[in-house]
Amino acid sequence: MSPQPLHGSPKMMYDARQQFATNIPLPVSQNMTYIDCCPNPDEIWARPWDQMLASGSGVNCPEDLRTAISQAVKDAQQLWEENRDLQGRFVNDIGELQRIQMAIRQLENDPNNSQLAQARQSLTDMQRRASQVYEMLANKRGELTNRLNNGMSCVAMLQNYLISERLFSWKNQQKLAQVGFPFENRDTCLDEIQKEFEFLAEQTWQLRTFACYQLDFVKSLNDNNSVLCGQNLSAITDQLSKLLCMLVSQSFVVTVQPDPVLKTQHKFVTEVRLLIGDSLGIRQNLVNTNVTVKIIAEEDAKLLSNAQLSEKDIKTVGSISNDFEKMMMDEKGHMAAKFNNSKLTRIAHRKQPPRSAADQRNNPVCAATDQKYALLFHISPFQLGNLGKFDVWTMSLPLMVTVHGSQDCDAQGAILWQRAFNSVNRAQGACDIQHVAWQDLAEVLKHKFVLFTGSRRTLSDSDLNYLYEKFYVPNSQDNKPLTFGRFAKERLRDDVNFSFWEWLFSIMQLIKQKLLKFWDEGWCIGFISKQDASEAMHSSPEPTFLLRFSDTQTGAVSIGFVCEGVPFHLAPFSIKDLEQLSLAQRIVSCPQLKDIRCMYGKNGNADKEEILKYFETEERNKQGSDSPTGYILSEIIMVAKPASGRFSSSFGNDSPSPLSTNSRLDWSPGEVIQPMNSMDIGDYPMGGFDGNVEALLGGGFTARLPDQPLQPVDFSLFDNFQHQQNFTNQQPYHYNDQHHPQQQQPYQ
């Protein structure tokens, strides 16, 4: 049976930033040849990754795959050395056959020469010996080719798992961390992933090296076995080269994402890293190599990720100062470029991209802050062994840009939705999430609240129930999913001119700047309706007052108290109000609160005097000493103004303070390893022969061909790599950054 060449090679995309698919069932019909330790390969190949990992069976487990790859490299080296020795012996035997044939032709000119019969016998003996060596050589060729093929299949599986499972999971956690979800082991986890990249790079390079060595050997002989074996080895070498290129390009990641909302004329911090480290001696190839950064439109980022646009054709939409850094190796073995002093100096005006009908229905109002951007990082082309030049790039997560503090609220709302619910990839089939359940949104708001305010006290169940009632009627069955428009665009109620997110965002600003101590200690109950607050104060066994957030004004807190058995609520105080007179000072100076000794808080009644002691030192330091100009200092006090000689009940709407505003608060926070000794082809001498081997071995000789065809390696898991270009030294490779194609909902 003649050996069959490798087939089924996928259209693999050299723009190898395209993401591997996850949980791809590998076809049973391929029937891959495995190392002996793999039980039931047909059954295991048919399982997706999560089932294979859960089963912990055979060579498909990551740890077993690593062991199998290491063993394949050792076996390949041993088999190659045996092939080298056998081919050397065979080449010597061929040379001896040529010498004997030449001697026979000379003896045939003298029919009476008695040595002719002896020479012919020597030729027969040498042909028999050479045939035996050739048969052993053919067997060893087949063993080495199959071992390389099996090793390549294990490399492909482990690489798919590493990128589509482990690295994707890390990137998804990194994305969620930007809205407050914990990611405490971020650096440790990435270091472990880097070790896997380095291992795969080294082992894949070794397998490719032995495939190249063997290919060079078989090309030196002219026999049918060499031709077909060479075709198989060429296919293996080509696929291993592509796997290496994908691995290198996928290893370029953004390890420190920039702030999700960038402000013009403000610095940003970010970091990129090449996870293959110093594998393959890459460090010496990156001397004086720059990593540049530029800002591009998110629409172009999606086209680039899907190979619909070249990296060189991407247009920048803004200017960045200090837009390049050196790729350097730090003491931890990280090949990274750190941008600590870059500043977004300008952003160009962009036309609104065309929107779908569904998007227009969900988000009828389209503001400038609806436009998203991305940072594009690019490494200067560098050489990597005989693989050619690499032109590697990656992109940040989508981000927003603001030029004025009044845009901060809208930008923060849009990026919160994107980080929490949209996919970490930019695959062509990945759509933005338009509807989410309240339970998922509530979980996100809990983490975002703590991240933004810096508070120790998170939103409680009662707080979340209060927020829930902003969208739904209590105890109703109307729990349809929420859209982004309902969350951040539409008016919260008909009688107010702000959205839910504007209202909540301004409260988080208020807590962060003016009420953090009140909130952390539970003294500010905050999220409670006016009616519930009045009932709580009424039912208290002793006179109390409380702090609650206004429903009709953004970013404002109101003081409620009971006077003569009637609950009252003072006009809400905004951040601007509290700049003139702090909340503690207002409580101290208000005559109506003088005789009320308890504050109703999250944990019940608290002693007012104990609370105010905390603020005494702070207020005393603010007052300072006497004025050096000789003027007499004055102070502001707060007095609740009665209506018609007595307080009027405040179960109705909040009345605004003269210093407050009913419009949205315009406020923006200020900028408050040694190189690897890689083997090169050509280190060993090889005998060359241009004649016909079969003719030399005699007319009765039949070439020994492999009994079984070389089993193909399944590369269907790389079908997303659709764009091809040749591996040459003259034409650099271009890679695109893409991640996991499936949507992942983190909140159940």
Side-chain angles (χ1 to χ4, degrees), residues 169-358:
S169 176
W170 185 90
K171 289 181 177 180
N172 192 57
Q173 288 182 277
Q174 181 194 51
K175 174 178 71 77
L176 294 175
Q178 289 204 306
V179 291
F181 283 80
F183 193 14
E184 298 175 355
N185 60 339
R186 182 190 67 177
D187 295 335
T188 303
C189 182
L190 191 60
D191 287 343
E192 293 174 354
I193 293 175
Q194 174 166 330
K195 292 179 181 178
E196 296 294 331
F197 269 92
E198 293 172 346
F199 169 81
L200 267 178
E202 296 285 356
Q203 300 301 310
T204 307
W205 182 269
Q206 291 295 325
L207 289 173
R208 181 180 178 275
T209 297
F210 290 121
C212 291
Y213 285 177
Q214 183 66 6
L215 180 60
D216 227 11
F217 271 135
V218 299
K219 285 181 178 179
S220 65
L221 291 178
N222 183 18
D223 65 282
N224 291 334
N225 182 278
S226 295
V227 172
L228 292 177
C229 186
Q231 292 175 358
N232 288 335
L233 288 170
S234 295
I236 291 174
T237 303
D238 185 52
Q239 300 293 6
L240 287 172
S241 298
K242 293 175 183 178
L243 287 172
L244 268 174
C245 293
M246 294 174 197
L247 189 70
V248 172
S249 58
Q250 289 281 354
S251 74
F252 191 39
V253 297
V254 182
T255 53
V256 177
Q257 291 285 344
D259 288 339
V261 177
L262 297 184
K263 299 179 177 65
T264 55
Q265 301 304 325
H266 284 68
K267 291 182 181 180
F268 62 86
V269 175
T270 185
E271 178 181 326
V272 291
R273 182 163 144 195
L274 206 58
L275 294 180
I276 61 169
D278 196 25
S279 299
L280 315 181
I282 198 171
R283 183 176 183 178
Q284 62 188 7
N285 294 305
L286 291 178
V287 175
N288 294 325
T289 298
N290 291 331
V291 179
T292 58
V293 59
K294 61 182 180 181
I295 188 166
I296 64 175
E298 175 63 14
E299 293 77 24
D300 288 343
K302 292 180 178 179
L303 294 176
L304 181 60
S305 295
N306 293 283
Q308 298 175 346
L309 192 64
S310 169
E311 185 270 335
K312 290 181 172 57
D313 296 331
I314 293 290
K315 295 181 179 179
T316 183
V317 294
S319 301
I320 296 177
S321 63
N322 298 315
D323 61 347
F324 72 92
E325 290 290 343
K326 295 292 183 182
M327 182 71 80
M328 301 180 66
M329 180 76 73
D330 63 18
E331 66 280 359
K332 296 180 180 179
H334 300 162
M335 186 72 71
K338 302 178 181 179
F339 294 82
N340 295 324
N341 297 298
S342 299
K343 179 189 291 186
L344 181 60
T345 57
R346 183 186 64 86
I347 194 71
H349 175 73
R350 293 165 54 200
K351 293 183 178 180
Q352 290 289 346
R355 299 193 301 158
S356 64

Side-chain angles (χ1 to χ4, degrees), residues 547-559:
L547 306 176
R548 57 172 294 273
F549 301 127
S550 173
D551 287 323
T552 58
Q553 185 176 335
T554 58
V557 60
S558 174
I559 300 177

Side-chain angles (χ1 to χ4, degrees), residues 117-133:
Q118 183 180 357
R120 287 175 175 172
Q121 182 61 41
S122 297
L123 177 63
T124 302
D125 294 341
M126 181 55 68
Q127 286 178 334
R128 183 173 58 254
R129 190 178 75 174
S131 297
Q132 293 173 351
V133 174

